[in-house]
Amino acid sequence: MSQLPFSELKLHTNVLENLSSLNYDMMTPIQAKSLPHILAGKDVIAQSQTGSGKTAAFGLGLLEKLDVKKMHVQSLVLCPTRELADQVAKELRKLARTVPNVKILTLCGGMPMRAQLGSLEYGAHMIVGTPGRIEDHLNRGSLQLKALQILVMDEADRMLEMGFQSALDAIVKHTPEQRQTLLFSATFQGQTKSIAKRMMQQPVIVQVASTHDDKSIEQHFYQVGDDDESRLQAIRLLLLQYKPESAVVFCNTKRETEDVANALIYEGFSALALNGDLEQRDRDQVMVRFANKSVSILVATDVAARGLDIDGLDAVINYELAHDSEIHVHRIGRTGRAGKQGVACTLFTLRDDYKMTVLGDYLERDINAEALPSKNLLKESAFKAVMTTLQIGGGKKQKLRPGDILGALTAGNDIAGKQVGKIHVMDQWAYVAVSRDVSKLALKKLGDGKLKGRSFRVRVI
Ligand code: ADP
Ligand code: MG
């Protein structure tokens, strides 16, 4: 693996110092390969797996070009989902910590229009957003991209999969032709290739092969019958065997995510489906409950899981083999991060023979099917998530802060700080995770007027 320090690059000293304070010393392989071209102003197509540091690759490029004194939109980053846009904006703000007065604005669908219009009036240097909403702003005239210098398409493959092709084409028409265009993607084929051809000029293509052995992931493969019953039983056995605190079960269709989640709930597991059919608010709720460990199993499609801001999953289980090998590697890459050992279990059937051969070649290993755990395990009862989420009927609008919630819960010392988990305060709602064994007490304390001296509606979700 190439090990080049950031100091090899001609970056502003305050940016370099910030990188070292973030403990970013060495460039990741995709950064080492793409940054020199990005900084040289070239159009770049960069392909590498999730978690390989693509955000900082383009983020540093955007920061180097930025002129804070000029108050217009200089760069635009398009992302497939709001969650990803939020993640990217967060990383950009982190990288820009030592650059004074940078204004980074997110513009995503599912968020109130009025607030966005207000923020746009104050101006911004960098915009991160989803294609639909950006197009909307361009049509209304509330966003101007006439002086745009750099356009970034992050997770381009997913944007196309999600049907954003025409929005992307429309957005590009609003930008100057001599812009720099950067395209980031985990895969590069078909539609992504053709959009790159239309939007980019002599792009430099850099790729880092998906590595499968630089993280500690233990992969297992199991052959099952080609019917839901066999698959579901296999999933139950694997869950009972590995007892993951957080696991994602991947399905190929939305329908299956619902069916599998319902079947697991029926068996007593804490599971939820995550798919593109969910309303934004329900989606937020699913994410909150999974992130705060009150749901241990998320059953998701690849597209829906794209926006997940989670690392270090204990297990990834493929209910079905992914359609192609890159997607497989992508899925299992969500486990075993940050030096934590992860487990990836994949179910396949006789019909997957060909795909399995291709996958074996791709992974450069022999794939041997293993026997599923003993059916005796099915006698064990399903494990529950360690936490429970309480939903509070008040949020930022009611000036509720995480400290208020923590304070109300721990007052009187009958609930310990460590029994309180993550707290998420949204505009109109707040969510707090508490240990399952104190959930009734917590419900009572929050509902009894101990929170900012008011009584909020509180319920277990
Ligand atoms: P990708 O977009 O390729 O999926 P991200 O940009 O989200 O990956 O980066 C994954 C993680 O790696 C982030 O938490 C980021 O802060 C971290 N990271 C990125 N570059 C470096 C680096 N050079 N050194 C250490 N950590 C890094
Ligand atoms: Mg990314």
Side-chain angles (χ1 to χ4, degrees), residues 1 47 80 134 169 172 200 209 219 256 292 300 354-355 391 446 454:
M1 201 186 280
Q47 184 197 347
I134 297 289
D169 282 313
V172 165
M200 306 181 79
Q219 279 209 72
E256 269 164 5
N292 73 19
Y354 175 71
K355 275 202 273 180
Q391 183 191 41
L446 291 180
R454 290 177 48 179

Side-chain angles (χ1 to χ4, degrees), residues 375-395:
K375 289 203 175 115
N376 283 334
L377 266 182
L378 295 176
K379 292 191 206 115
E380 283 188 24
S381 52
F383 54 91
K384 286 275 180 207
V386 285
M387 308 298 274
T388 298
T389 301
L390 305 182
Q391 183 191 41
I392 302 165

Side-chain angles (χ1 to χ4, degrees), residues 105-109 116-117 120 127-130 133-134 137 143:
L105 184 63
T106 53
L107 296 175
C108 298
Q116 294 182 355
L117 294 173
L120 277 166
I127 300 230
V128 184
T130 48
R133 181 58 64 95
I134 297 289
H137 279 292
L143 175 65

Side-chain angles (χ1 to χ4, degrees), residues 6 24 26-28 31 49-55 91 94:
F6 281 104
Y24 287 19
M26 294 297 170
M27 289 188 259
T28 65
Q31 289 165 353
Q49 73 187 104
T50 303
S52 52
K54 295 192 284 296
T55 321
E91 177 85 7
K94 211 161 86 179

